[in-house]
Amino acid sequence: MAQKDDRKRLGKKHRQASTRPKKGRAPKSTPTTGGVDPRKRKILSTKRAAVDRASRVTKQSPEREKRKAIRPDGATPKKPAGAVRPKAERPADGIVGRQTPRSENVAGRERIEDDWRDIELLASQMVTETESADARELPLIAICGRPNVGKSTLFNRLTGSRRSIVGDEPGITRDRIYGEIEWMNRAARIVDTGGVVPDDEALIPAEIFLQAKVGLEEADAIVMVVDGRTELASPDLELARLLLRGGKPVFLAVNKMDTDAMQSQAENFRRLGFRNVLPISAEHGSGMGDLLDAVFEILPEPAEIIEEPEVMLTENDEAEEDETGPDFSVSPAATLSTEPSEVATPKRPRMLRSHGEYESRETKIAIIGRPNVGKSTLLNALTGTQRAIVSPIAGTTRDAVDEVVERGGHAFRFVDTAGIRRKGKTKLMAEKLSVIMARKHLEAADVSLLIIDAAEGVAALDANIGGYAHESGRSVIIVVNKWDLMTRTGKDGMRLFDGKPPADQKLYEQDVRDKLKYLDYAPLLFISAADGKNIESVFKKVELVARERRKRVTTGQMNRFLEKVDFQKASVPMNKRVRIYYMTQAAVAPPTFVLFTDKDVKMHFSFERFLGNQIRENFGFIGSPIWFKIKARNKKKIG
């Protein structure tokens, strides 16, 4: 009772007392100057200033303090301007798979992105054009020399395009790169070869030398390039001996003679034994006229080429082609006669209709995939030649290598591209540029062969590369290479390379389909490029897919098709449902359909997939993606 009376008398004080800190050491806090003796305020102010200064100074661990270099006089040495602080090792740095964030890592990623932007800008200036099929009859000029003397720069200068990859790194060009040049109303072919080192026994230099020898043997004139700013090296002398024994006309181009005062130094290279010595500057273009005049003077005159008249498709031709496929019979402009004639009847050229009408003389096929999956081996097997360098070293191919194959009146141009890798896996400039150029060659092709290593299976990078082809509208054929490794067995019935049971083709195909679901329309082939097994099926599938890619469906057929489709089976949200009045095919390569609907709404992906499957079930379009465009009657946009 007395305690209760005391609480009433104290009022709020009894509640305040319960919140006061308990007896013992008071909590640490910043010293204050209010409510203290004026004689102590100066001391407290000094302490508070010291606390503020200490909070702004970065604390360093004792281990780091011990690592500081101390001079004998006790002063800490100052770091010179521009010096880079060495990276300190941390316990977590040695753990495999551990990603420890560093400011250096962030700066490194930014630097990598800047490098890739520069490479993409350079790639936008390069071209993917290749020599035409008619150019095979023209005389050939070969460019040769040791590595890093300016052969690719000269090739790009003469062709007037950036076709060959140029850089400061030696040995960028490895395969033969062909192009066309024109000078004084005369045309010729030109081939850029890799840097020749005759005595080098390493695998890739030896293969480069073999590729260069093929180009030199088929050439009508040879241009040997040397670096005018350096002394002659042993590869220059050895190559000069080989060319002198060949007996073909050789022109010595002394490159990098950028000023008039330097051109007199070209006479020092006459000791190689060549009569025609010409100072040039491939980078600045000086001396190109004298070089071309001398080369074209000894080239044989080309035979006259009779150009075929341009043939355009008529409505009757379109209707006939839609039903039976492309017609390669006599041209409508040609007249049939039973009397013998000395003039051969011209054949009707192949037609390819896309957003316009134009003549197509060949089908372009890009061979794409990860490094070291057998792309170059497949190109050699398809062409029956050693056109591309093959080695077990990943990233051997850098420039795109193309070759034309004639079969059954059809022209197929196969383009072997460089292996596509992730950005973080490419270090050299040539590797980065080759990856970007591989995608550019893919976008310029009609059909793409997606190569998968059977022994490694479908990787995440394979799915990304297939996505590039799908999004760019290229027709896709999935090719599982090295299938012989999965089925070749020993005496015990197990696979030779890993001792596992032989792979079942149906189960393997199902696994590929599960991992590449978005490419369910693409045919699947199992081949062995090294052994040449099932290579003939590649030609058949390419011809089929190229024909399906150009297929056209009339508007009447599409409207009759729409009447049979049950759109209630399509799982589409209500706000994305549209009513299709009619649809028509607007273009081919890839097949593009325009849907005339009641409202302007973006097509739901499930409805697009449903409609595409229905179209494939009725009309085919094997191996080709199908694009849709919506055109609403009322322009009011919903969603």
Side-chain angles (χ1 to χ4, degrees):
M1 208 52 196
Q3 184 178 5
K4 187 176 181 181
D5 295 340
D6 293 341
R7 289 182 179 179
K8 288 183 178 179
R9 181 170 48 81
L10 292 174
K12 292 183 180 180
K13 291 184 179 181
H14 73 278
R15 291 193 296 271
Q16 293 175 353
S18 62
T19 60
R20 292 175 183 174
K22 297 180 180 179
K23 292 183 179 180
R25 181 177 294 180
K28 294 182 180 180
S29 60
T30 304
T32 59
T33 57
V36 296
D37 190 349
R39 291 173 293 183
K40 297 182 180 180
R41 286 182 182 179
K42 186 175 181 180
I43 299 175
L44 291 178
S45 299
T46 305
K47 290 183 178 180
R48 185 173 63 177
V51 170
D52 293 340
R53 284 195 301 271
S55 63
R56 292 195 294 268
V57 176
T58 304
K59 298 291 192 302
Q60 296 182 351
S61 62
E63 292 79 11
R64 188 171 181 83
E65 292 290 341
K66 292 178 182 178
R67 287 198 298 265
K68 283 187 176 182
I70 305 298
R71 292 190 296 184
D73 55 356
T76 304
K78 294 183 178 180
K79 185 172 63 174
V84 180
R85 185 178 60 185
K87 294 182 179 179
E89 294 294 333
R90 297 176 296 177
D93 292 341
I95 301 176
V96 178
R98 178 71 179 270
Q99 296 182 358
T100 53
R102 285 179 178 271
S103 59
E104 294 88 352
N105 294 341
V106 176
R109 287 194 295 268
E110 294 177 354
R111 185 174 62 256
I112 291 174
E113 293 296 332
D114 293 340
D115 293 343
W116 275 96
R117 279 193 289 269
D118 296 338
I119 296 297
E120 290 175 356
L121 178 61
L122 179 60
S124 64
Q125 302 172 1
M126 300 189 67
V127 298
T128 58
E129 297 178 359
T130 54
E131 60 172 354
S132 61
D134 297 337
R136 297 303 176 99
E137 305 298 328
L138 297 176
L140 179 63
I141 305 170
I143 301 176
C144 64
R146 64 178 173 88
N148 211 26
V149 294
K151 300 182 299 298
S152 297
T153 305
L154 178 61
F155 176 85
N156 292 341
R157 172 68 65 177
L158 295 178
T159 57
S161 63
R162 304 193 69 166
R163 171 68 176 84
S164 189
I165 297 178
V166 177
D168 297 332
E169 306 159 11
I172 292 179
T173 303
R174 294 175 175 177
D175 299 282
R176 288 170 284 148
I177 310 298
Y178 288 87
E180 298 179 30
I181 61 174
E182 186 175 352
W183 180 254
M184 304 299 290
N185 297 326
R186 293 182 60 185
R189 299 168 65 208
I190 188 169
V191 56
D192 179 22
T193 62
V196 176
V197 184
D199 298 332
D200 199 334
E201 297 180 356
L203 178 59
I204 291 183
E207 291 292 334
I208 293 174
F209 180 48
L210 293 177
Q211 290 288 327
K213 286 183 64 177
V214 173
L216 296 176
E217 290 173 358
E218 63 181 3
D220 299 294
I222 301 173
V223 177
M224 178 180 172
V225 184
V226 295
D227 189 348
R229 295 183 177 180
T230 61
E231 294 294 331
L232 288 174
S234 58
D236 294 323
L237 302 175
E238 185 65 25
L239 179 59
R241 295 192 192 101
L242 294 175
L243 297 179
L244 289 173
R245 295 194 208 112
K248 293 187 178 182
V250 182
F251 299 86
L252 182 64
V254 184
N255 192 23
K256 303 183 182 180
M257 299 285 100
D258 299 334
T259 61
D260 296 337
M262 300 175 62
Q263 294 186 3
S264 60
Q265 301 177 10
E267 297 298 323
N268 298 331
F269 293 87
R270 288 192 178 274
R271 56 178 175 162
L272 289 175
F274 298 112
R275 179 182 302 176
N276 301 309
V277 179
L278 301 167
I280 66 169
S281 176
E283 185 175 358
H284 298 91
S286 61
M288 295 294 108
D290 297 337
L291 176 62
L292 291 176
D293 285 338
V295 172
F296 273 88
E297 186 178 352
I298 58 94
L299 289 180
E301 291 287 341
E304 294 185 4
I305 300 176
I306 303 176
E307 296 184 0
E308 297 180 358
E310 185 178 359
V311 181
M312 301 299 292
L313 289 175
T314 62
E315 296 181 0
N316 296 333
D317 296 331
E318 291 185 3
E320 181 182 356
E321 184 176 335
D322 290 336
E323 296 178 1
T324 62
D327 183 16
F328 302 96
S329 60
V330 179
S331 169
T335 57
L336 297 176
S337 175
T338 57
E339 299 179 359
S341 175
E342 297 179 357
V343 181
T345 304
K347 293 184 178 180
R348 175 178 172 179
R350 293 184 80 180
M351 294 295 172
L352 173 62
R353 298 195 306 274
S354 183
H355 296 276
E357 293 181 357
Y358 56 92
E359 183 176 327
S360 174
R361 298 183 181 273
E362 62 188 19
T363 301
K364 195 171 183 180
I365 305 101
I367 305 175
I368 59 176
R370 293 185 289 119
N372 215 17
V373 295
K375 299 183 295 299
S376 299
T377 307
L378 178 59
L379 175 69
N380 294 341
L382 291 170
T383 59
T385 61
Q386 295 298 320
R387 179 64 180 85
I389 296 177
V390 177
S391 77
I393 302 173
T396 301
T397 303
R398 289 181 176 177
D399 284 288
V401 181
D402 63 284
E403 188 71 13
V404 179
V405 180
E406 297 278 350
R407 293 178 64 90
H410 300 173
F412 301 95
R413 181 181 294 275
F414 293 96
V415 182
D416 176 25
T417 62
I420 299 177
R421 287 164 284 186
R422 292 185 176 88
K423 290 184 177 181
K425 299 295 183 180
T426 53
K427 305 298 182 184
L428 300 177
M429 182 277 298
E431 294 177 349
K432 297 178 181 180
L433 190 57
S434 63
V435 170
I436 298 177
M437 290 306 298
R439 294 186 59 178
K440 289 191 65 175
H441 283 281
L442 167 64
E443 295 170 357
D446 301 311
V447 182
S448 61
L449 300 179
L450 176 60
I451 312 300
I452 295 175
D453 191 336
E456 299 181 3
V458 180
L461 186 56
D462 293 321
N464 292 340
I465 297 172
Y468 297 150
H470 173 76
E471 294 173 358
S472 61
R474 306 305 102 186
S475 299
V476 183
I477 300 176
I478 304 174
V479 180
V480 180
N481 191 23
K482 306 180 184 180
W483 185 245
D484 58 318
L485 298 179
M486 308 297 290
T487 55
R488 189 182 300 168
T489 58
K491 295 181 180 180
D492 57 351
M494 297 297 180
R495 293 201 301 245
L496 293 177
F497 78 100
D498 61 356
K500 295 181 180 179
D504 182 78
Q505 186 168 323
K506 292 184 179 179
L507 296 178
Y508 198 99
E509 180 177 357
Q510 184 61 40
D511 181 67
V512 173
R513 294 297 185 187
D514 292 341
K515 294 179 180 178
L516 301 176
K517 292 183 178 180
Y518 62 94
L519 294 177
D520 55 351
Y521 56 84
L524 183 63
L525 298 176
F526 292 87
I527 68 168
S528 175
D531 297 342
K533 294 182 180 179
N534 210 19
I535 297 297
E536 189 66 26
S537 63
V538 177
F539 287 99
K540 295 179 180 179
K541 285 296 181 182
V542 167
E543 186 176 356
L544 171 64
V545 169
R547 185 169 62 249
E548 291 288 309
R549 178 180 177 81
R550 299 189 301 270
K551 183 183 292 184
R552 184 181 292 275
V553 180
T554 62
T555 304
Q557 291 175 323
M558 290 305 304
N559 290 333
R560 289 190 292 271
F561 156 75
L562 283 176
E563 295 175 358
K564 301 177 183 178
V565 178
D566 185 8
F567 289 102
Q568 297 299 325
K569 296 181 179 180
S571 56
V572 185
M574 292 300 297
N575 61 339
K576 296 291 183 179
R577 289 183 178 269
V578 294
R579 179 183 177 184
I580 303 175
Y581 296 113
Y582 66 95
M583 61 185 299
T584 182
Q585 185 175 358
V588 299
T592 304
F593 295 91
V594 178
L595 282 65
F596 293 87
T597 61
D598 57 342
K599 53 185 178 181
D600 186 9
V601 60
K602 185 178 180 181
M603 184 182 296
H604 196 263
F605 73 92
S606 59
F607 182 77
E608 182 176 348
R609 182 175 53 193
F610 170 80
L611 186 57
N613 292 337
Q614 295 294 322
I615 292 176
R616 295 185 193 280
E617 185 178 345
N618 286 268
F619 302 106
F621 296 109
I622 301 173
S624 178
I626 297 177
W627 288 357
F628 294 101
K629 295 181 180 180
I630 286 184
K631 188 174 182 181
R633 286 188 174 180
N634 55 338
K635 298 299 181 180
K636 185 177 180 181
K637 187 175 181 63
I638 301 176

